[in-house]
């Protein structure tokens, strides 16, 4: 997992597969704000979409990421998007209800931290979907994660 990022906003990337047995690709989660425009998020599979809640939601996410992790095994979650209807997405049909949950944890005491992005939702036709990726414990580089979170907080100012 790497902390590749833009100079502003939050972008966190890693290598993984959408489904077990599928090719490994570049996966990512990004949050940013257009100059004098709306806040948005972009993630593998969903493409760019408006981040409902804007600056307060982005700040809450950044603060959650920057919280000192507990020692030993842990897993905590942050609901970035909670079953919110989408519009103007290049990859999601208008009216699709999207959920984006972020997990941060450690599988074993003194082991590496991992970050996992879970995407799910429901289309207007009530067809549920979930994008699964293997829950491999890939190392999160804490310094890069915190730097990206700090950039996100700075955008709010």
């Amino acid at each position: 997992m790497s902390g590749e990022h833009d100079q502003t906003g939050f972008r966190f990337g890693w290598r993984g597969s959408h489904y077990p047995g599928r090719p490994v690709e570049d996966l990512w989660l990004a949050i940013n704000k257009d100059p004098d425009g709306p806040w948005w998020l972009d993630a593998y599979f969903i493409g760019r979409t408006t981040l409902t809640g804007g600056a307060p939601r982005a700040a809450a996410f950044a603060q959650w990421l920057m919280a000192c992790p507990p020692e030993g095994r842990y897993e905590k979650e942050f609901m970035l998007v909670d079953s919110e209807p989408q519009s103007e997405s290049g990859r999601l049909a208008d009216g699709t209800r999207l959920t984006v949950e972020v997990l941060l944890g450690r599988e074993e005491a003194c082991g590496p931290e991992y970050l996992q992005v879970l995407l799910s939702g429901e289309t207007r036709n009530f067809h549920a979907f979930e994008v699964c990726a293997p829950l491999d414990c890939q190392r999160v580089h804490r310094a890069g994660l915190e730097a990206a979170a700090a950039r996100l907080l700075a955008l709010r100012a």
Side-chain angles (χ1 to χ4, degrees):
M1 193 170 299
S2 70
E4 295 177 20
H5 61 272
D6 298 328
Q7 293 301 313
T8 61
F10 176 87
R11 180 173 173 83
F12 205 79
W14 65 98
R15 300 275 299 156
S17 174
H18 291 299
Y19 301 100
R22 299 283 298 168
V24 172
E25 309 176 277
D26 288 326
L27 305 178
W28 67 91
L29 173 66
I31 301 171
N32 212 329
K33 180 185 182 309
D34 286 334
D36 299 321
W39 283 83
W40 52 264
L41 72 97
D42 182 8
Y44 66 94
F45 182 75
I46 63 169
R48 185 171 158 166
T49 188
T50 301
L51 178 63
T52 304
R57 193 76 190 141
F61 179 61
Q63 291 165 344
W64 177 81
L65 287 170
M66 294 175 76
C68 185
E71 294 188 27
R73 293 179 59 172
Y74 81 95
E75 184 171 271
K76 60 183 185 171
E77 65 182 53
F78 187 90
M79 199 67 69
L80 189 57
V81 176
D82 191 5
S83 192
E84 295 171 9
Q86 301 297 301
S87 63
E88 301 178 21
S89 168
R91 294 190 180 176
L92 296 175
D94 284 354
T96 296
R97 299 188 75 79
L98 178 66
T99 297
V100 179
E101 181 181 2
V102 180
L103 300 177
L104 188 62
R106 184 182 298 120
E107 289 182 336
E108 20 180 281
C110 301
E113 285 183 279
Y114 63 87
L115 183 137
Q116 183 73 23
V117 179
L118 305 174
L119 306 171
S120 61
E122 187 176 275
T123 65
R124 286 192 322 196
N125 298 331
F126 304 107
H127 294 286
F129 65 90
E130 184 173 3
V131 178
C132 302
L135 290 175
D136 294 335
C137 183
Q138 296 187 32
R139 183 174 180 83
V140 167
H141 298 283
R142 173 66 55 181
L145 185 67
E146 289 178 358
R151 281 190 306 280
L152 188 56
L153 278 175
L155 271 180
R156 193 180 115 201

